[in-house]
Amino acid sequence: MNKEIRLIALDLDGTLLNSDKQLSPRNRSALFRASEKGILIVPTTGRLPGALSPAVRSLPFLRYVIAVNGAIVSDVVTGEVLSRQEISNRDALRILDALQKYDGIYDCYIDGCGYMNAKMLAKAEYYTEDSHQLKLVRDTRKPVEDLKSFLLDRGCPVQKAQIMFSCREDRDRALSELKALLPDFLHTCTYSTNIEINSPAANKGAALSFLCDHLNIPMECAMSFGDGSNDITMLKAAGIGVVMGNAEADILPYGDIIAPTCDEDGVADVLERLVL
């Protein structure tokens, strides 16, 4: 490889973290070795900034985080939010109106916190893929009586809206409909049964480009890893895009490199061969 890698952007779920949402010893060691070479390690996730797994959050060299699919770029050392790309309150209410017709549970992120109707949160186990996703939802959503009324009262923008379904077939039908109904937003999926809706300016590729520009790092010196449709923009934007072997088939063409799966330490495998 003839490119000097100076920044590595890593999706978390299904990429850096294995199926049990754990950071394996081999992946952890590879990140430490990369950091010792002066390479910046940047978690790049659909999660809220405060919802990073403890193993990732505790990495001593962590400085920058791209969160909520690029809606937030933050400096975790100073606490400064470097970039915000949000959905206006008016548009967020329009999105909630569209989501109400589906058999699913939906939420939105406001200023780094997730909110969901209390009755929907109580049914979360029927609309999540596995126990790890269920725990994440329960740990990071605050229950409110009525999400639409809550948004109306606060009058604030949101960073992301999301809806979760009980099966992929329902998700796929809704995804096509929502793309047609709400074409002025970005629709992506992290899990096989969810849809995430962001401002079109809030995507991982744009956030990575912003951060590299902020740090005076050429984009060709950035490497990105991902496995989902919310990773496509950063896979295309980085000098080297790495798609995990566990990614769905329609994501694979966006990788310059196909790594082993997240359960086979795919991140470490590529870093050991090409960077370290």
Side-chain angles (χ1 to χ4, degrees), residues 196-217:
E196 302 180 6
I197 303 175
N198 285 88
S199 159
N203 65 77
K204 292 185 179 184
L208 177 59
S209 180
F210 166 84
L211 183 59
C212 284
D213 184 63
H214 177 76
L215 299 172
N216 293 315
I217 295 175

Side-chain angles (χ1 to χ4, degrees), residues 153-226:
D153 290 342
R154 294 193 60 165
C156 58
V158 308
Q159 293 154 345
K160 183 176 80 172
Q162 175 181 213
I163 183 167
M164 290 166 270
F165 298 88
S166 60
C167 66
R168 178 165 183 164
E169 291 74 20
D170 288 349
R171 192 282 307 269
D172 288 346
R173 282 193 296 269
L175 183 59
S176 297
E177 293 173 3
L178 289 170
K179 284 182 175 180
L181 184 63
L182 302 168
D184 44 342
F185 299 99
L186 184 63
H187 307 262
T188 58
C189 305
T190 299
Y191 302 99
S192 65
T193 56
N194 85 326
I195 300 171
E196 302 180 6
I197 303 175
N198 285 88
S199 159
N203 65 77
K204 292 185 179 184
L208 177 59
S209 180
F210 166 84
L211 183 59
C212 284
D213 184 63
H214 177 76
L215 299 172
N216 293 315
I217 295 175
M219 285 298 289
E220 58 264 27
C221 295
M223 174 182 278
S224 64
F225 289 77

Side-chain angles (χ1 to χ4, degrees), residues 3-271:
K3 296 178 181 177
E4 178 196 3
I5 299 302
R6 296 172 55 188
L7 184 151
I8 299 171
L10 294 151
D11 173 58
L12 298 183
D13 300 295
T15 300
L16 179 63
L17 304 179
N18 61 26
S19 296
D20 291 325
K21 309 300 182 185
Q22 300 298 312
L23 177 61
S24 72
R26 184 182 174 195
N27 277 351
R28 187 175 187 273
S29 174
L31 297 186
F32 267 85
R33 291 170 61 195
S35 176
E36 289 167 358
K37 290 174 63 72
I39 300 172
L40 283 172
I41 306 299
V42 181
T44 310
T45 178
R47 297 190 188 199
L48 291 160
L52 298 182
S53 69
V56 174
R57 189 167 59 244
S58 65
L59 293 172
F61 44 78
L62 200 63
R63 178 68 188 266
Y64 302 101
V65 172
I66 294 171
V68 198
N69 291 334
I72 299 174
V73 181
S74 60
D75 183 327
V76 297
V77 173
T78 66
E80 180 183 5
V81 175
L82 304 175
S83 173
R84 290 181 184 269
Q85 300 294 341
E86 299 177 310
I87 299 168
S88 71
N89 185 266
R90 180 179 179 180
D91 282 339
L93 292 170
R94 182 159 62 94
I95 291 170
L96 290 189
D97 283 339
L99 298 182
Q100 285 178 359
K101 76 173 193 175
Y102 294 106
D103 178 17
I105 58 173
Y106 52 83
D107 57 30
C108 65
Y109 293 177
I110 301 172
D111 199 25
C113 293
Y115 296 91
M116 180 182 282
N117 288 342
K119 290 182 178 179
M120 290 186 176
L121 188 56
K123 300 188 295 181
E125 64 185 293
Y126 301 105
Y127 296 94
T128 48
E129 285 189 307
D130 54 41
S131 60
H132 303 292
Q133 186 189 7
L134 177 61
K135 184 179 187 304
L136 184 64
V137 170
R138 286 175 170 169
D139 288 349
T140 59
R141 272 47 163 198
K142 295 182 178 181
V144 296
E145 184 174 352
D146 181 75
L147 186 56
K148 186 175 180 181
S149 298
F150 181 76
L151 276 180
L152 277 168
D153 290 342
R154 294 193 60 165
C156 58
V158 308
Q159 293 154 345
K160 183 176 80 172
Q162 175 181 213
I163 183 167
M164 290 166 270
F165 298 88
S166 60
C167 66
R168 178 165 183 164
E169 291 74 20
D170 288 349
R171 192 282 307 269
D172 288 346
R173 282 193 296 269
L175 183 59
S176 297
E177 293 173 3
L178 289 170
K179 284 182 175 180
L181 184 63
L182 302 168
D184 44 342
F185 299 99
L186 184 63
H187 307 262
T188 58
C189 305
T190 299
Y191 302 99
S192 65
T193 56
N194 85 326
I195 300 171
E196 302 180 6
I197 303 175
N198 285 88
S199 159
N203 65 77
K204 292 185 179 184
L208 177 59
S209 180
F210 166 84
L211 183 59
C212 284
D213 184 63
H214 177 76
L215 299 172
N216 293 315
I217 295 175
M219 285 298 289
E220 58 264 27
C221 295
M223 174 182 278
S224 64
F225 289 77
D227 74 307
S229 64
N230 62 337
D231 300 315
I232 289 174
T233 55
M234 75 169 181
L235 292 169
K236 293 167 65 176
I240 298 176
V242 183
V243 174
M244 305 303 294
N246 50 278
E248 295 184 10
D250 59 340
I251 310 299
L252 297 177
Y254 294 99
D256 301 302
I257 297 168
I258 307 300
T261 71
C262 65
D263 291 323
E264 298 171 310
D265 299 328
V267 168
D269 180 87
V270 171
L271 294 183

